[in-house]
Amino acid sequence: MPKNRKDNWFFTALLIAGLFLILLPARSSAGVFKKKSVVMGTDLEMIVSSTDEAKADKAFASVENEMKRIEDEMSEWKEKTFVSAINNNAGIRAVSVPSDLFKVIWAAVTVSKLTDGAFDITWASMRGVWDFSPGHERVPSASEVKERLKLVDYRDIVLDEKKNTVFLKRKGMAIGLGAIAKGYAVDRATQILAKEGIRDSIVKAGGDMRVQGLDNGKPWEIGIKHPRKKELLAKFGLTNVSVSTSGDYERFFIKDNVLYHHIIDPRTGFPARGAMSVTVLAPDTMTSDALSTALFVLGPDKGLELANKLNGVEAIIVDASGKMRISPGITLK
Ligand code: AMP
Ligand code: MG
């Protein structure tokens, strides 16, 4: 898949430094409406440019409903979801799933193949070994990790395209879509806004963002902050692109001076150590979401090499020493 630089014109943006996406305060011009809520266990923020506030409110409500629907289908934490059914039937039988869930799992496996398993939704087979929730933090022993790691292997996910079924080959295996489902949900949100007549919007769920259309005729301004510092260090003017950030500071704890975070390297079973933060720009948010996590695990050298191979994909990586590395389609100011 050779890279076509013409696809990347919109990335020739203003970048100063730094990393994690934040929305800059929208201009106070009339016709910009905002909504904040919590869905899929994360902060959802929508900003739309519209002439009609009632239309914006209706669209916001439709998006929230859709996100709740996706959570009820794809969460690995709720009991009655299809993902839980897949996990509960690991080693027993294939489970028939809705077509959008099948599509997300298919995309996840595609990214696993592309990254030689650095991205792997069966990381969830390690549930309980690691715990990052406040008050329950735990560092497992190397032998415990080694034992459970045997269950982590995307090649043991059996997908039947004709029947839309998913089967995990071995008992004890589990999948978790924490690195990809939010991106899919953000894409759905943007589609719903468009269907409701809103063409200019930003939808941001946690670290995953879709920037669609324009802000009063100009590209939307997106800010990025450094993974270790408070201040805003980067600014982009963007349109029609998805931006996702994975960081070691999102879910973590520190024990004996070591930072343990939630992005697990399937080769070791321990938190990936190559980066502090990875931002990926891609044509859609499911892709940017999966790739930001994948590149985080791959680390800066291999991560940038992969970004460079993929059409419409750019990356900004803060490596483990705090140095920023960027793919060639991004121009530093
Ligand atoms: P993100 O914030 O999109 O990078 O997603 C991080 C989440 O992805 C974690 O909280 C886990 O739920 C999940 N995860 C951790 N390690 C991996 C991995 N190697 N491949 C896929 N998902 C992972
Ligand atoms: Mg991700």
Side-chain angles (χ1 to χ4, degrees):
M1 199 161 23
K3 190 146 180 148
N4 179 1
R5 287 279 161 224
K6 280 186 191 144
D7 288 345
N8 298 328
W9 61 270
F10 45 80
F11 298 142
T12 308
L14 310 169
L15 174 68
I16 302 162
L19 280 196
F20 182 64
L21 305 168
I22 62 163
L23 296 179
L24 292 176
R27 291 185 189 95
S28 57
S29 58
V32 172
F33 304 106
K34 300 182 196 179
K35 180 78 195 280
K36 282 187 187 186
S37 48
V38 176
V39 288
M40 298 178 78
T42 196
D43 294 329
L44 170 69
E45 219 174 323
M46 292 182 271
I47 300 177
V48 305
S49 185
S50 169
T51 49
D52 184 343
E53 187 167 7
K55 192 160 90 176
D57 283 342
K58 184 169 169 271
F60 289 151
S62 303
V63 167
E64 284 169 3
N65 283 339
E66 173 66 354
M67 291 221 164
K68 280 180 199 140
R69 184 197 69 77
I70 293 171
E71 184 176 17
D72 288 343
E73 186 175 302
M74 301 191 186
S75 167
E76 70 260 32
W77 303 108
K78 290 188 160 184
E79 256 177 47
K80 292 195 170 149
T81 67
F82 282 95
V83 167
S84 290
I86 293 167
N87 292 342
N88 293 335
N89 286 290
I92 302 170
R93 66 174 183 93
V95 173
S96 176
V97 301
S99 59
D100 64 338
L101 174 57
F102 191 83
K103 184 180 116 177
V104 171
I105 295 173
W106 185 276
V109 172
T110 305
V111 176
S112 293
K113 289 176 184 162
L114 206 59
T115 59
D116 209 9
F119 184 88
D120 192 332
I121 54 174
T122 69
W123 75 273
S125 311
M126 299 197 74
R127 186 190 276 192
V129 172
W130 288 102
D131 198 338
F132 299 97
S133 45
H136 301 274
E137 300 91 346
R138 97 182 270 271
V139 179
S141 69
S143 60
E144 193 184 351
V145 167
K146 194 173 162 207
E147 192 52 34
R148 194 69 80 82
L149 200 55
K150 292 177 187 163
L151 290 170
V152 177
D153 193 340
Y154 71 94
R155 289 166 297 193
D156 288 341
I157 303 172
V158 183
L159 299 177
D160 186 327
E161 231 181 320
K162 290 194 187 101
K163 295 185 190 152
N164 270 6
T165 59
V166 183
F167 174 50
L168 304 180
K169 271 190 186 166
R170 290 177 287 146
K171 220 171 164 50
M173 276 183 80
I175 58 168
L177 301 178
I180 188 168
K182 259 191 296 178
Y184 168 72
V186 167
D187 284 334
R188 283 292 301 138
T190 305
Q191 284 162 13
I192 285 168
L193 292 179
K195 215 168 122 200
E196 300 276 352
I198 291 171
R199 310 255 156 222
D200 300 307
S201 63
I202 294 181
V203 178
K204 177 180 175 291
D208 302 300
M209 181 192 289
R210 177 72 192 177
V211 186
Q212 192 68 27
L214 296 168
D215 175 12
N216 285 311
K218 294 195 195 110
W220 291 96
E221 273 192 20
I222 303 301
I224 292 180
K225 81 173 172 65
H226 194 278
R228 292 292 185 272
K229 294 176 188 168
K230 266 192 176 167
E231 70 262 31
L232 180 69
L233 291 173
K235 266 191 201 177
F236 288 96
L238 294 177
T239 181
N240 299 341
V241 66
S242 296
V243 192
S244 291
T245 295
S246 294
D248 67 2
Y249 50 89
E250 288 172 51
R251 287 194 83 200
F252 72 97
F253 62 87
I254 294 172
K255 194 165 182 241
D256 299 330
N257 281 327
V258 180
L259 186 151
Y260 296 93
H261 65 83
H262 67 145
I263 301 175
I264 302 298
D265 185 337
R267 295 165 296 195
T268 63
F270 281 84
R273 292 295 177 202
M276 292 177 181
S277 175
V278 174
T279 296
V280 168
L281 293 94
D284 66 84
T285 325
M286 182 165 71
T287 302
S288 61
D289 188 4
L291 285 180
S292 68
T293 313
L295 266 57
F296 192 105
V297 176
L298 285 175
D301 293 335
K302 284 192 174 161
L304 287 171
E305 196 183 305
L306 177 61
N308 208 25
K309 276 190 207 152
L310 301 172
N311 252 330
V313 173
E314 300 294 341
I316 307 152
I317 301 179
V318 173
D319 72 13
S321 71
K323 188 172 160 241
M324 188 173 65
R325 311 259 313 261
I326 56 170
S327 59
I330 289 183
T331 308
L332 271 179
K333 212 185 169 195

